[in-house]
Amino acid sequence: MSLGLPQDCYGTPDIERFVKTLSGEHGTVVTAGTDASERHVTPGPDGRVNLTYVLSFDPQVMDGVAYGPNVGPRHFHVAGCQWLLRMGDPRQARPHVIELKDAPKAWRFYSTLGSDATRTEATASYEALSSFAMGGGAGGFEPFQVQGRPVSVFIDGAFDRPVDDIFAAIRRIVTAQRQTFGGAPPPFFHVVLRPRSGVIAGTAVDNAFICFAKKDISPRELHLILAHEMFHTWVPGQLDIALDPSEAQFRHQWFSEGFTEYLARQLLVVDGLMSMNDFAALVNSDLINLADNPHRDATHAAIVSVAKQGAFNAAAKKLAYYRGALIALEWDFQLKAKGNPQGLAALIKELAARVAGAGGTLSESAFFAHMAAQGIDARADFERHIVRGEPISLSPGVLGPGFTFRNVAVPAFDPGFDLELSLKESAIKGVLRTGPAFRAGLRNGMKLKSLRNSNRFANGWRADLPLEITVDNQDGPRQIKFFPRGASRQLRLLQALPPGQGASRVDTEKL
Ligand SMILES: [Zn+2]
């Protein structure tokens, strides 16, 4: 019978190369399969298949794969698909016992399958187990309780910020979200922070949130990803807009991602973990991100066809995040202006409670009807901004009297060479003689070794840091750095008013 070696559903290419040994026991015979990721096994005389295998992940290779196994001398983290073998029907539930043997005494361990990571039992399919996570380490560990349920935080790796500050922030975020949005908390919950160079990546799985972050992640970046991912417990976990099976899976990501982002930010402000100026800066980055997004005017149908061509990249995906967060901000403002002091957060909480018995989903028409009853023409906004891709304009007083809109010249993201094609061909392509890449010394045909800060629509991208390109020369690697800034456009961005000038200045802003 055929035996599949691990296959990483989180994107590590050819993860089977890290299987160092694989052998049959008690008469089980293992022979080569049709390719590197397959083996052929013949059961032993008792009709059973007994196998022993060893996986050893190279920490340096893994550091280049955002969601790959996260390993180091003092910690590890793996997802099920990164180490489980594949046999038979991947959808068939089978009994599993997972034990940690001879584990270092001083380490702390976690599993998303159960509260005792050293031994878990589960009757589940390969598919169901592919995203379950386990790990351990000698680093920081802090348990606490919220609403009578245990939450455990595991931090490994070196971060610039003191670990105690990170523990305190996580505790505040989990506690504030649960106290504000309520609902039944999971029986146990793990928050895991692991090191990964140059990225900020998170994955929310049942009973846990796992975050991979660069050493210099700022408090704002860390709070945001934690708050965003953990808020998914409520949206879409407890409230989502139902999807017709014929519709693209991302049709309502403006809600499930955009509203999550907005409400997560808002709660950080309420809880004192984010200033209003930082909040305004994030609204501005939504506006700039949209202006830089090649799909900014795309209709829903156009994005569906992009996805059908297999070109649904980070830019296409993030469109819904930016649009949704801006729509949420505008609706929140309108709700409050119509005499709903609690605004959007209260409305979402109330809707989630209402659909708790109905699988946590609401039909599109029921959602629009509920919003209409609060005075928000949600259907019209959805059709305008999501279906037809028309720009979103924010009301002048959307952030209160302390902020106003100003036209600001912002350079467009434009590296001046064909980034995507260069990556695909591992060689520099499409350098424009008038662009910033040419001025910095980049030339067509140079061998591309690596890039830093190039992924414009990734969480970790920084506008204030240059794009770094390492190319291979005859005399060795050469680093070329420049800001990927093209022609400037006028964007309408929020600006804080000096204290005391709020109200009068906003009046004059109503142009
Ligand atoms: Zn999300």
Side-chain angles (χ1 to χ4, degrees):
M1 67 200 298
S2 165
L3 170 77
L5 297 186
Q7 201 169 51
D8 190 3
C9 49
Y10 286 97
T12 310
D14 311 320
I15 200 168
E16 74 275 357
R17 66 197 143 126
F18 300 102
V19 176
K20 297 304 170 193
T21 63
L22 169 67
S23 56
E25 310 281 331
H26 308 295
T28 298
V29 178
V30 182
T31 52
T34 51
D35 60 47
S37 70
E38 196 207 19
R39 298 288 183 274
H40 191 85
V41 290
T42 309
D46 60 357
R48 296 165 71 100
V49 171
N50 285 280
L51 299 164
T52 299
Y53 65 110
V54 174
L55 275 156
S56 178
F57 299 112
D58 180 337
Q60 241 173 341
V61 174
M62 288 310 163
D63 201 37
V65 188
Y67 292 93
N70 197 295
V71 291
R74 288 160 53 85
H75 79 276
F76 79 99
H77 169 89
V78 279
C81 61
Q82 293 165 344
W83 63 275
L84 286 166
L85 297 174
R86 295 168 292 128
M87 273 184 104
D89 181 357
R91 276 161 304 220
Q92 190 196 330
R94 298 190 190 84
H96 290 79
V97 178
I98 299 164
E99 281 185 75
L100 284 167
K101 299 273 197 189
D102 305 325
K105 287 268 184 299
W107 286 28
R108 301 281 190 166
F109 299 94
Y110 55 86
S111 161
T112 60
L113 284 180
S115 51
D116 176 12
T118 57
R119 183 186 160 91
T120 45
E121 290 188 31
T123 297
S125 67
Y126 170 83
E127 271 186 4
L129 289 177
S130 61
S131 65
F132 112 83
M134 66 187 293
F141 167 72
E142 191 183 82
F144 60 96
Q145 299 255 333
V146 189
Q147 295 168 328
R149 302 289 172 94
V151 177
S152 310
V153 185
F154 301 84
I155 302 177
D156 270 288
F159 295 95
D160 290 349
R161 194 172 170 205
V163 75
D164 285 340
D165 286 5
I166 303 179
F167 278 128
I170 291 172
R171 191 178 186 138
R172 271 171 81 175
I173 294 168
V174 177
T175 308
Q177 287 193 344
R178 289 198 185 173
Q179 281 171 353
T180 306
F181 287 92
F188 64 92
F189 194 79
H190 302 317
V191 182
V192 177
L193 180 60
R194 290 284 179 262
R196 188 66 99 205
S197 295
V199 305
I200 301 172
T203 172
V205 296
D206 285 348
N207 304 319
F209 168 59
I210 293 114
C211 183
F212 305 113
K214 55 186 182 180
K215 187 175 178 294
D216 60 346
I217 186 170
S218 70
R220 184 171 98 180
E221 288 170 321
L222 182 67
H223 297 167
L224 258 183
I225 189 160
L226 285 164
H228 174 108
E229 295 293 340
M230 293 194 293
F231 194 78
H232 279 322
T233 305
W234 291 275
V235 176
Q238 294 179 20
L239 175 66
D240 200 7
I241 304 175
L243 202 60
D244 187 278
S246 66
E247 296 290 357
Q249 165 266 331
F250 53 83
R251 180 178 174 86
H252 289 305
Q253 274 189 351
W254 63 277
F255 177 73
S256 61
E257 293 296 350
F259 277 47
T260 289
E261 178 66 17
Y262 177 75
L263 293 167
R265 290 175 189 173
Q266 190 179 54
L267 207 54
L268 288 174
V269 172
V270 172
D271 202 42
L273 282 165
M274 185 186 287
S275 68
M276 271 314 284
N277 281 342
D278 275 356
F279 187 91
L282 288 168
V283 176
N284 286 343
S285 35
D286 290 333
L287 293 164
I288 298 167
N289 287 339
L290 264 179
D292 275 344
N293 198 302
H295 302 297
R296 62 188 166 272
D297 301 318
T299 62
H300 181 65
I303 300 294
V304 169
S305 87
V306 161
K308 281 191 180 139
Q309 290 157 21
F312 192 75
N313 56 10
K317 184 179 164 62
K318 287 296 179 67
L319 195 62
Y321 290 58
Y322 311 142
R323 285 174 172 172
L326 294 174
I327 291 171
L329 170 65
E330 181 62 27
W331 288 3
D332 196 17
F333 169 72
Q334 288 182 24
L335 283 165
K336 287 171 183 161
K338 287 174 202 298
N340 256 309
Q342 307 297 317
L344 191 67
L347 190 143
I348 294 297
K349 185 181 172 182
E350 182 195 309
L351 265 182
R354 186 193 284 206
V355 299
T361 59
L362 200 62
S363 71
E364 229 173 82
S365 54
F367 178 80
F368 293 144
H370 188 85
M371 294 305 298
Q374 317 296 317
I376 304 289
D377 196 350
R379 181 184 292 278
D381 281 352
F382 169 72
E383 280 170 3
R384 199 175 298 141
H385 307 306
I386 307 297
V387 178
R388 299 200 297 273
E390 291 173 18
I392 299 161
S393 65
L394 298 170
S395 296
V398 77
L399 229 55
F403 291 85
T404 187
F405 281 102
R406 291 267 182 271
N407 282 328
V408 181
V410 182
F413 176 78
D414 181 4
F417 73 104
D418 193 330
L419 195 57
E420 225 160 292
L421 188 65
S422 305
L423 265 174
K424 214 159 95 187
E425 311 219 336
S426 301
I428 301 302
K429 302 273 169 184
V431 177
L432 292 171
R433 291 191 72 91
T434 51
F438 188 87
R439 281 196 294 275
L442 201 70
R443 296 294 180 268
N444 284 331
M446 285 177 160
K447 253 189 159 170
L448 176 60
K449 270 188 73 103
S450 65
L451 284 164
R452 282 188 73 177
N453 204 34
S454 67
N455 193 350
R456 172 64 183 85
F457 299 100
N459 290 331
W461 186 80
R462 296 258 308 261
D464 59 333
L465 294 177
L467 169 62
E468 291 180 29
I469 306 174
T470 307
V471 291
D472 236 349
N473 255 353
Q474 284 127 333
D475 12 298
R478 174 181 166 200
Q479 208 180 50
I480 297 173
K481 285 187 196 185
F482 61 92
F483 283 95
R485 292 173 184 165
S488 283
R489 307 140 300 179
Q490 291 288 319
L491 298 180
R492 188 172 165 264
L493 300 180
L494 284 164
Q495 206 174 61
L497 292 169
Q501 289 191 28
S504 61
R505 289 288 286 276
V506 167
D507 289 343
T508 58
E509 190 58 28
K510 284 178 190 156
L511 303 168

